[in-house]
Amino acid sequence: MAPSNDSFVDMTGIEGKVRKEHICIIFPSKVSSPGLAGLYSNNIKLDAFIDYSGPRLYLQMVASFVLTQSIHTMALKHLGFPMLISQVLAGVILGPMLFHDHNSLITMSESSVEVLGTIGSLGFVFYLFLSGVKMDTSMTRKAGWKAISIGSLTVLVPFVFCLITDVILNGGHRDMIKNKNFFLAMTYSTTSFPVIHSLLNDLKILNSELGRLGLAAALVSDLLSMAILNIGKYFKTYVDKEIDDVLREIGLNVAFVLIVFYVLRPAMNWMVRRTPDGGKIKDVFVYAVIFMLMIIPMVTGMTHLFILVGPFMLGLAVPDGPPLGSALVEKLEPFVSGLLLPFFASACGMRFNVDDIINISPYAKSQSIAAVVTLFVKFFVSLALPLLCKMPTSDSLALALIMTAKGLFEIGSYSILFDVGMISADIFSTNFVIIVLLASVTPLLVNKFYDPSRKYIGYQKRSILHAKVNENLKIMGCIHVPGNVNSMINLLDSSCLTKETPITLDVLHLVKLTGRATPLLITHSKNSKTMPTKSYSENVILAFNQFERDNWGALFVNVFIAISPSNLMYEDVCNLAMKQLTSFIILPFHRRWYIDGSIESEDVSIRNLNRKMLERAPCSVGILVEGRQTTKCSNSNSIEISSSLPSLDKIAVIFLGGKDDREALALAKRMSQDQEVNITVIHLKIENDYAATLVDSEKMIDDETLRFMKQTTYVTYIEHYVNEGTETSDYLKSIVDKFQLIIVGRRYKKEDNRTLGLEQWTEFQEIGVLGDLLASSDFSANFSLLIVQQQLRIYK
């Protein structure tokens, strides 16, 4: 037997009473085992293997991971529950509540839970730090009165009701501060920014109008709660001690804030200045910030602040975005979210014991009632405020659910309060149940009440076909990389830019969100002297401003910059198109080629964006496949616009029939107003087609559209007969080198004899059979390709 040291530790609970806990420490500590071979040679039982903390930790990690994935994959994922629920349920299953046999290999005794909990707590510290890094406090200045009122009132009103409930249930208010009722009431009332961000991101509504409002309100709520908690802490110090202690505590807190924001932040700004524009920050600077994070909890304790405040404030001090903020998020996020936080959630679940709820104390019961009352009041306040602002009822319900959401931050906070003896086990367990229930049902209900794609369904037809030739055509062009700029300008330059046929162009530069939680949509003012980002946005703005000057009076350019996650960029595009009443959106294709046919670049996130836009766009859409690059240029962000750029004056439209092909003809019709542009309409027809002799409404509309194009002076009309897909492919190969731009309709999942046999070779089905054929490497000619889809979603 190893010697042990038994001692009693006094811990003050929430009721202000002292409880004694018996702690047994074994010396020397068993950390690393001699291995299975060593245990066998020394005739040590296998059960003794887990007496060592190292193997026990590995066993816990494996068991927690396997059980979490099993629960989520086999059951909860199909029901729509978030991963957090699977993680905490795995902890509950593996915890001491279910496994009392301390000689079992799978046992998770209280001492072993502490080992896993320590690793998980490190992840929680990193989680708070990254939440601060990604938080944009400038949102509080930019947030409108709606977000500020919702964020503040959904904290203050429930907080007051919770205190009133405490007074009623406990028969007095004298010990409210001393017994920490004040602080518990604030934990029930607050809305956590990290939890709301995670919820909105999981639901893929972070970029939606409701998501932006919820995120701004959560930020206001979080900062207000932090301020109220500090005021309450100072008042408690005054009640328990003297005014000198309050002043000393305030002085230490102010000193901590000054050190973080006036010593550490300037140091991090110096690191950013040492990094070239667009360059990668040095690893030594990243490690220096991580070192600051490792020592900040100790400094936080020395200054009498709650331990969770320090990492969060250090994260706020980090300059957001690239190069430092984004580098920290990219390096730490996978490790923290993928490894440490799941173990922390499971460790919190291991602390839960249903016996604590069965044998609940009167005080804990009153706190449970107060917590439920607070949540109901918070829900109704969150519902009433948007309804007063004339928000739709379904959206108001979704926002109310979002503002009452709870998650990992609350579970972690109560777990730490329980570990340090500030709350009792029954209060932890009852709040644990409330949080798990809320975290389970909130995503399901928000999905039920809020569908952001509904607003993209238009009541009006917004397409090129339904726009008058001589009216201002509203087009949106999306930019990802510098090469997209010249291709976009070439296409628009061939679209008959005159004062009689003007175009309003909304340029949307899409930038991937890194190092911050808040998506941004920035409107560039022509009078602005500063650029909003350190990327090549400035060159994009300058290039299109020059294009506008070259076509003064015929072209009106507005430049926007959207900084958002790649999987949610379609929200920015659709929202802006709705706001600007756009008729046609031009999206770059996700793949670009060199002249020799090799791939220059390919981005799966752009392809996913294009797919979602084709499904949800509120107007017509065109996907622009750029012509092959003549040289293998470097990855430079510079953009040069000159008169030597090749003009697209030889344009062909491949017509098979259908509304997408008619939209392509409508664009060609507008281009044909420019006498310098030669338009060729190639109508592929089926030889001896019996169906062509039948009366069909679609065919009648096609014939009427073609009749106008045949009568246009500067349009060449060609009919060519084919019988199958191979003949279509051979014919197109013979003519593509005569044109600089080819326009085709998407014709998604529409196949007839003219494309028969081609679909099975299609690589990118989202651009249709003909679009994929012309974009393939089989067509070696250097031409640009535009695939057009007419507006899909219209209320009848």
Side-chain angles (χ1 to χ4, degrees), residues 537-550:
S537 293
E538 180 176 4
N539 291 329
V540 172
I541 294 169
L542 293 175
F544 280 100
N545 284 344
Q546 178 63 45
F547 185 44
E548 182 183 28
R549 287 192 293 270
D550 293 342

Side-chain angles (χ1 to χ4, degrees), residues 121 124-125 128 306-308 344 348 351 410-423 428:
S121 297
F124 193 58
V125 169
L128 294 171
F306 189 39
I307 191 171
L308 302 181
F344 178 72
C348 291
R351 292 175 170 86
E410 288 79 12
I411 291 178
S413 299
Y414 287 125
S415 179
I416 291 175
L417 290 174
F418 173 60
D419 287 343
V420 300
M422 293 183 68
I423 62 174
F428 169 78

